[in-house]
Amino acid sequence: MSIRIAPTKATRAINLLRAVQNHPPTCPCHSNPSHHHNHRPSLASANASLSPRQLTRRLATPMDHSQQKEYAFEMAASSIRFGPGCTKEVGMDVKNIGAKRVMVVTDGVVNKLTAMKQVREALDAEGVDFQVYTGCRVEPKDSSIKEAIAVAKPYQPDLFLAVGGGSVIDTAKLMNLYTCFPEADFLDFVNAPLGKGLPITKPLKPLIAIPTTAGTGSETTGTAIFDLVSKRAKTGVAHRVLKPTLGICDPLNTRTMPSAVAASSGLDVLCHSLESWTAIPFNERVPRPSNPILRPAYQGANPISDIFSLQALRSTVKYLPRAVHDPDDFEAQSEMLLAATLAGVGFGNAGVHLCHGMSYPISGQNPNYKHSGYEVDYPIIPHGVSVAVTAPAVFKFTAASNPERHLAAAECFGVDVSNVKKESAGEVLSEALAAFLEKLGDQPRGLKALGFGSEHIDDLVEGTMPQKRVLMLAPNLDETNEDVEREQLRGLFEEAMSY
Amino acid sequence: MSIRIAPTKATRAINLLRAVQNHPPTCPCHSNPSHHHNHRPSLASANASLSPRQLTRRLATPMDHSQQKEYAFEMAASSIRFGPGCTKEVGMDVKNIGAKRVMVVTDGVVNKLTAMKQVREALDAEGVDFQVYTGCRVEPKDSSIKEAIAVAKPYQPDLFLAVGGGSVIDTAKLMNLYTCFPEADFLDFVNAPLGKGLPITKPLKPLIAIPTTAGTGSETTGTAIFDLVSKRAKTGVAHRVLKPTLGICDPLNTRTMPSAVAASSGLDVLCHSLESWTAIPFNERVPRPSNPILRPAYQGANPISDIFSLQALRSTVKYLPRAVHDPDDFEAQSEMLLAATLAGVGFGNAGVHLCHGMSYPISGQNPNYKHSGYEVDYPIIPHGVSVAVTAPAVFKFTAASNPERHLAAAECFGVDVSNVKKESAGEVLSEALAAFLEKLGDQPRGLKALGFGSEHIDDLVEGTMPQKRVLMLAPNLDETNEDVEREQLRGLFEEAMSY
């Protein structure tokens, strides 16, 4: 009683299918990487922004055609619950999952906020046994992560519950990972080349994340970032199994952000969306993984991440200035939390590139800058500030790879691009970004304002070079030739000195 | 070493937070359901399309204010892998999950296609033990589901792998459910009021779904639909735990669809996206669940489902005609598979309403219509045809609830809505739909063309009334008064007789 296919059509389809499968390299539908991304540029236009010397080098260093390009993308995200007041439901969630010993992970500041009060009450109401770890460090180091793991291991929780910003959620992810792999060396799962980058071969304990900032998107992603102090580098672990089981996004929890934190968190969202939107497309990434478990979470722009990234960009442009300038604008704050989560789904499946790759040495090699509005007793370039400060330079550089996408991004800032030539896409987006940052207020107008000078550039370049995981997604960056790559990064840092 | 919040701001924020939490009904930010959905209409405009008699009844039947409105939404979706050829990876996926006994679920037709050949090869290559069940029925009945369950139970698989259209994937979901709850009565988890609608209290076995049609979106949703023959009704089970672990969307697998199947599958996508986009917003649904596990998967339109639904609608309008008219247009077919999946994420978290609710009796009470292009030996109104046939009537009826959304939908069909008045939104979208269906070809221009007459309307209305799960999301439908509801449905079926 099932449907039979008309024989002629079936035969035709099957023959076609065979033809496609037997001759993948010649099928225009899936061997041509720009087929589904018809805004992708030709090699000629990708090379347009290179100097003659760079171009000579690029042409002298042909692509490695022995490696096959990627042909699929994967989209995975935490379940997300969004609504004012939904923090209170977490006790029932824990019970519904069947957990009995919960490791609550937070930091000293968040521990005193209403969010944590509600979490305690919710767990108590369900009679769940829990222990609170308040030792997370803002911008965690490997040492702070290891201390946290040492607390989790003997407690043997059957669920982790992170309440805080990205630093807290990332710490909780790593506590979960190394509690589930107690014998592993800390560097085993850390991204290569700084760590061993081993695949994670089994599921972890459930993790529920309750963000209290609107920026990181960590509640939806499988990424955890920290400072590897011995290498003076930011790195991390990135794998889908790290992603939380559930992200509870309660806009009441982000009301406690000071305006400076709202601004820098929001700039992180801005760059997540812009970088994932402009990352090289998934089907230009090489090599194609030999096993789907090896497909990276940061796989390049793809048709699903695109939807999230562009929507998050539009929302950020619309709501971030309102959220920063008016602490009573709950609608804008709420929309920024949603935008952060959407951008998280976007970059969590597509990746970020130059702003993030360059931000790690910028933060780590901070000359002595202390961002206004952050009441800390040490110099700090907040993560969002360090990613946004290079953005005007970065997107001027990447625009030639895909002018249409860069113009579409400029359009999100309200620029009328109808008469803009493709060659000007980078300039136009760069100006739109600079104007946005200036209007937002309290943002350094370039690396100089952070205290960097030309004497720092070598170190900044060397600090960026190991960020392979994100640099491989940077359009226009020549990763096949380290000399060219260094020169390109040097140019970017020079350009980013002031805008 | 953590960030301290400036005391004045902290105090201010905490006071504000307390104020918001202590007085939820008076906070304009989250007690007003139209705050985040500022296109939502006033009661006056919602009533605009009611007859004076209906209006009198509605006003005489006030909303039950004892029940609190929903305040949160949840978005959950399967992980999705998308790419031509990725079916071949499934053996490694099964192995990566650690499964050793796989129940492969398919039907007699798909069993002979390349997709199943590749699945067999992929599982063999990894040395995985598997058993193939080919007995799924297109448009499954409770009896066919029970037969399938009876095969799965003794095999005790540790993973289910569905290869086929929505009927196959839905059957596999229920095989998984009742194998994990072997003592349960079949009606225990079936949607109320036809079944008991019990919550599902533990996770199921992993399920991988490989769709071979571009329509159902079942690879991303927690919904399984079947005919409950004794009640002459379509119903099903809907819960997040039913959703597949992974959907493998391989556009090579949908090439085998005959053009008539591509058309009706695509019309299902069209209605998924239009209905979820226009469903009542999540924060107008009552009652708010007492436990998050009771929050339905079909929760009403929300800011995340909106993104998916609108994108799927745009893609369907663009690519469905090409996919139907040119069997060699692989790009269009591929985009339709992606649209089906996106719409699946959208309606899987927002729900559908009148087109789907009314389609169940239309298909089930088929007078004697056999859709052209379907080579079956029995009368059939394909699911996509039965949902689309009422669409011009449905959206004319629902438009008053939210003219802006209906105009935005009309815009997706290429209509210039800049000078259209709100009052005409329904008319305009209805005409755009009718024109689209006519251009697509081979579609019945109303219920008359399917053989229905006015003598069938009573039965059609009675067959729709039990579809509470979807009707509760229908804008403009008065669910507080069954007499009014019946009258409204009668009006809709009359209007849908021809377009």
Side-chain angles (χ1 to χ4, degrees):
Chain A
M1 292 284 276
S2 48
I3 295 174
R4 286 193 309 276
I5 295 166
T8 51
K9 281 179 183 167
T11 314
R12 186 178 181 188
I14 289 166
N15 287 344
L16 194 51
L17 184 67
R18 288 205 182 113
V20 167
Q21 289 175 322
N22 292 338
H23 305 286
T26 59
C27 171
C29 303
H30 55 104
S31 65
N32 175 358
S34 49
H35 186 77
H36 294 284
H37 286 268
N38 50 15
H39 300 316
R40 289 291 155 185
S42 64
L43 184 61
S45 70
N47 286 333
S49 73
L50 296 180
S51 69
R53 193 173 135 215
Q54 287 170 330
L55 190 56
T56 311
R57 283 199 186 166
R58 166 166 277 207
L59 295 177
T61 330
M63 287 281 289
D64 177 4
H65 287 293
S66 67
Q67 292 186 307
Q68 280 193 296
K69 283 187 181 176
E70 178 64 284
Y71 68 113
F73 65 91
E74 195 159 326
M75 127 114 194
S78 307
S79 290
I80 297 296
R81 184 181 305 146
F82 190 98
C86 65
T87 306
K88 291 176 183 169
E89 298 181 357
V90 73
M92 290 182 276
D93 289 313
V94 166
K95 193 124 187 190
N96 292 340
I97 291 171
K100 294 188 170 59
R101 284 170 76 77
V102 177
M103 178 102 245
V104 181
V105 184
T106 188
D107 65 27
V109 172
V110 176
N111 191 35
K112 294 177 197 130
L113 301 181
T114 308
M116 267 302 296
K117 185 168 168 277
Q118 293 191 336
V119 164
R120 281 191 169 88
E121 287 171 359
L123 294 175
D124 280 336
E126 300 295 327
V128 175
D129 179 35
F130 65 96
Q131 183 175 316
V132 180
Y133 177 73
T134 63
C136 292
R137 183 194 146 90
V138 176
E139 308 289 330
K141 296 176 188 296
D142 49 350
S143 55
S144 74
I145 303 274
K146 284 175 187 167
E147 283 165 27
I149 294 168
V151 173
K153 272 184 178 176
Y155 183 62
Q156 281 295 316
D158 52 13
L159 186 143
F160 288 82
L161 171 54
V163 187
S167 301
V168 166
I169 300 172
D170 286 6
T171 301
K173 287 175 183 172
L174 297 172
M175 290 165 84
N176 189 2
L177 174 63
Y178 288 98
T179 306
C180 290
F181 288 88
E183 306 302 327
D185 180 79
F186 186 70
L187 287 178
D188 278 358
F189 301 117
V190 172
N191 299 320
L194 295 171
K196 287 188 211 150
L198 297 182
I200 304 170
T201 51
K202 65 177 184 191
L204 310 183
K205 299 286 181 200
L207 164 62
I208 298 178
I210 305 184
T212 58
T213 62
T216 157
S218 184
E219 66 277 9
T220 79
T221 75
T223 304
I225 300 290
F226 59 85
D227 281 310
L228 189 59
V229 175
S230 61
K231 299 280 172 75
R232 289 189 69 203
K234 281 246 188 201
T235 182
V237 181
H239 194 285
R240 285 179 194 87
V241 299
L242 253 65
K243 73 182 159 58
T245 319
L246 173 66
I248 297 185
C249 300
D250 180 343
L252 296 179
N253 292 339
T254 58
R255 304 217 68 164
T256 42
M257 276 195 295
S259 143
V261 176
S264 59
S265 313
L267 291 177
D268 198 17
V269 181
L270 188 78
C271 289
H272 285 160
S273 55
L274 274 169
E275 288 173 70
S276 52
W277 170 245
T278 56
I280 69 156
F282 73 98
N283 50 6
E284 290 188 8
R285 204 185 71 243
V286 285
R288 174 186 301 189
S290 56
N291 183 312
I293 208 173
L294 300 172
R295 187 164 280 131
Y298 284 11
Q299 49 197 329
N302 63 69
I304 299 187
S305 66
D306 284 351
I307 302 170
F308 283 92
S309 304
L310 208 55
Q311 178 66 29
L313 178 59
R314 286 195 193 104
S315 282
T316 304
V317 170
K318 182 171 179 187
Y319 294 109
L320 181 59
R322 281 174 49 185
V324 167
H325 296 137
D326 180 2
D328 295 336
D329 190 338
F330 183 68
E331 184 193 15
Q333 291 168 14
S334 183
E335 292 284 354
M336 276 311 299
L337 179 60
L338 184 62
T341 303
L342 296 179
V345 180
F347 90 84
N349 291 284
V352 285
H353 55 79
L354 285 163
C355 296
H356 272 75
M358 293 164 69
S359 81
Y360 300 136
I362 292 172
S363 281
Q365 300 171 21
N366 183 2
N368 201 23
Y369 176 85
K370 202 170 138 188
H371 194 62
S372 77
Y374 276 67
E375 295 210 351
V376 291
D377 49 14
Y378 50 92
I380 187 166
I381 306 174
H383 175 64
V385 172
S386 70
V387 289
V389 71
T390 62
V394 161
F395 296 102
K396 205 188 281 178
F397 170 80
T398 56
S401 72
N402 193 331
E404 291 85 352
R405 277 195 178 228
H406 288 69
L407 287 176
E411 218 168 3
C412 294
F413 287 89
V415 178
D416 176 6
V417 301
S418 50
N419 291 316
V420 177
K421 284 186 186 158
K422 284 186 188 181
E423 300 81 63
S424 310
E427 203 70 47
V428 164
L429 177 55
S430 178
E431 279 166 20
L433 267 164
F436 181 82
L437 293 169
E438 187 173 14
K439 227 172 136 187
L440 197 65
D442 286 331
Q443 294 305 312
R445 290 184 63 85
L447 294 171
K448 255 189 204 153
L450 298 175
F452 287 102
S454 56
E455 70 278 18
H456 296 108
I457 289 186
D458 279 345
D459 283 349
L460 288 170
V461 169
E462 291 314 310
T464 308
M465 288 293 287
Q467 306 295 336
K468 299 293 175 207
R469 191 176 57 100
V470 295
L471 295 183
M472 74 172 196
L473 297 174
N476 239 5
L477 191 73
D478 189 350
E479 274 232 292
T480 62
N481 183 323
E482 289 215 339
D483 290 343
V484 178
E485 192 179 5
R486 271 198 179 82
E487 197 172 329
Q488 290 179 311
L489 288 174
R490 166 173 285 280
L492 277 165
F493 280 113
E494 277 165 5
E495 173 82 20
M497 277 296 159
S498 64
Y499 62 78
Chain B
M1 293 281 277
S2 49
I3 295 173
R4 287 195 308 276
I5 294 165
T8 50
K9 281 181 182 164
T11 314
R12 185 177 183 190
I14 288 167
N15 288 343
L16 193 52
L17 185 66
R18 288 204 183 112
V20 166
Q21 288 174 323
N22 293 338
H23 304 285
T26 60
C27 170
C29 301
H30 55 104
S31 66
N32 175 357
S34 48
H35 187 76
H36 294 284
H37 286 269
N38 52 14
H39 299 316
R40 290 292 155 184
S42 65
L43 184 62
S45 71
N47 286 332
S49 73
L50 296 180
S51 69
R53 193 173 136 216
Q54 287 168 331
L55 190 56
T56 310
R57 283 197 186 166
R58 164 166 278 208
L59 295 177
T61 329
M63 287 282 288
D64 177 4
H65 286 293
S66 67
Q67 293 187 306
Q68 281 193 295
K69 282 188 183 178
E70 177 63 284
Y71 67 114
F73 66 90
E74 193 158 328
M75 127 113 193
S78 308
S79 290
I80 297 295
R81 185 181 303 145
F82 189 98
C86 65
T87 305
K88 290 176 183 169
E89 297 181 356
V90 73
M92 291 182 275
D93 288 313
V94 166
K95 194 124 186 190
N96 292 338
I97 292 172
K100 292 185 171 63
R101 285 170 74 78
V102 177
M103 180 102 243
V104 180
V105 184
T106 188
D107 65 27
V109 172
V110 176
N111 190 35
K112 293 179 198 130
L113 301 182
T114 309
M116 267 303 295
K117 184 167 170 279
Q118 294 190 337
V119 164
R120 283 192 168 86
E121 287 171 0
L123 294 174
D124 280 336
E126 301 294 329
V128 175
D129 179 35
F130 64 95
Q131 183 175 316
V132 180
Y133 178 72
T134 63
C136 292
R137 184 194 146 90
V138 176
E139 309 288 331
K141 297 177 187 293
D142 49 350
S143 56
S144 76
I145 304 274
K146 285 176 186 167
E147 281 166 27
I149 294 167
V151 174
K153 273 184 176 175
Y155 182 62
Q156 279 294 316
D158 51 14
L159 185 145
F160 288 82
L161 171 53
V163 187
S167 302
V168 166
I169 301 173
D170 286 6
T171 301
K173 287 174 182 171
L174 296 171
M175 291 166 83
N176 190 0
L177 175 64
Y178 289 98
T179 306
C180 291
F181 288 88
E183 307 302 327
D185 180 78
F186 186 71
L187 287 178
D188 278 0
F189 301 116
V190 171
N191 299 320
L194 295 170
K196 287 188 212 150
L198 297 183
I200 303 171
T201 51
K202 65 176 186 192
L204 309 183
K205 299 286 180 198
L207 163 63
I208 298 178
I210 305 184
T212 57
T213 62
T216 156
S218 184
E219 65 278 9
T220 79
T221 75
T223 304
I225 299 289
F226 59 86
D227 283 308
L228 188 60
V229 176
S230 61
K231 298 282 171 73
R232 286 188 71 203
K234 281 246 188 202
T235 182
V237 181
H239 194 284
R240 287 180 192 84
V241 300
L242 252 65
K243 74 181 159 56
T245 320
L246 174 65
I248 297 184
C249 300
D250 181 343
L252 296 179
N253 292 340
T254 57
R255 303 218 69 164
T256 41
M257 276 196 296
S259 143
V261 177
S264 58
S265 313
L267 291 177
D268 198 16
V269 180
L270 188 79
C271 289
H272 286 160
S273 55
L274 274 169
E275 288 172 71
S276 51
W277 170 246
T278 55
I280 68 157
F282 73 97
N283 50 5
E284 290 187 8
R285 204 186 69 243
V286 284
R288 174 187 302 191
S290 56
N291 183 312
I293 208 173
L294 299 173
R295 189 164 279 131
Y298 283 12
Q299 49 196 328
N302 62 69
I304 300 186
S305 65
D306 283 352
I307 303 170
F308 283 91
S309 303
L310 208 55
Q311 179 66 31
L313 178 58
R314 287 196 192 102
S315 283
T316 304
V317 170
K318 183 171 178 187
Y319 294 108
L320 181 58
R322 281 174 48 184
V324 167
H325 295 137
D326 180 1
D328 295 337
D329 190 338
F330 183 68
E331 185 194 13
Q333 291 166 14
S334 183
E335 293 284 354
M336 276 311 299
L337 179 60
L338 184 61
T341 302
L342 296 179
V345 179
F347 90 84
N349 290 283
V352 285
H353 55 79
L354 284 164
C355 297
H356 272 75
M358 293 164 70
S359 81
Y360 299 136
I362 292 173
S363 280
Q365 298 170 21
N366 183 1
N368 202 22
Y369 176 83
K370 203 170 138 189
H371 194 62
S372 77
Y374 275 66
E375 294 211 352
V376 290
D377 49 15
Y378 49 93
I380 188 165
I381 306 174
H383 175 63
V385 172
S386 70
V387 290
V389 71
T390 62
V394 161
F395 296 103
K396 203 188 286 179
F397 170 80
T398 56
S401 71
N402 193 333
E404 291 85 351
R405 278 197 176 226
H406 287 71
L407 287 176
E411 219 169 1
C412 293
F413 287 90
V415 178
D416 175 6
V417 300
S418 50
N419 291 316
V420 177
K421 286 187 183 156
K422 285 187 188 180
E423 299 80 65
S424 311
E427 201 71 47
V428 165
L429 177 55
S430 177
E431 277 167 21
L433 267 164
F436 181 82
L437 293 169
E438 186 173 16
K439 228 171 137 188
L440 197 64
D442 285 333
Q443 294 305 314
R445 291 184 63 85
L447 293 171
K448 254 188 205 155
L450 297 175
F452 288 103
S454 55
E455 70 279 17
H456 296 108
I457 289 187
D458 279 344
D459 283 348
L460 289 170
V461 169
E462 291 314 311
T464 307
M465 288 294 286
Q467 305 296 334
K468 298 292 175 209
R469 191 175 60 98
V470 294
L471 294 184
M472 72 173 196
L473 297 174
N476 240 5
L477 191 72
D478 189 350
E479 275 231 292
T480 62
N481 184 323
E482 288 215 342
D483 290 342
V484 178
E485 192 179 4
R486 270 200 181 84
E487 197 171 332
Q488 289 178 312
L489 288 174
R490 165 174 286 280
L492 277 164
F493 280 114
E494 275 165 6
E495 174 80 21
M497 278 295 159
S498 63
Y499 62 77

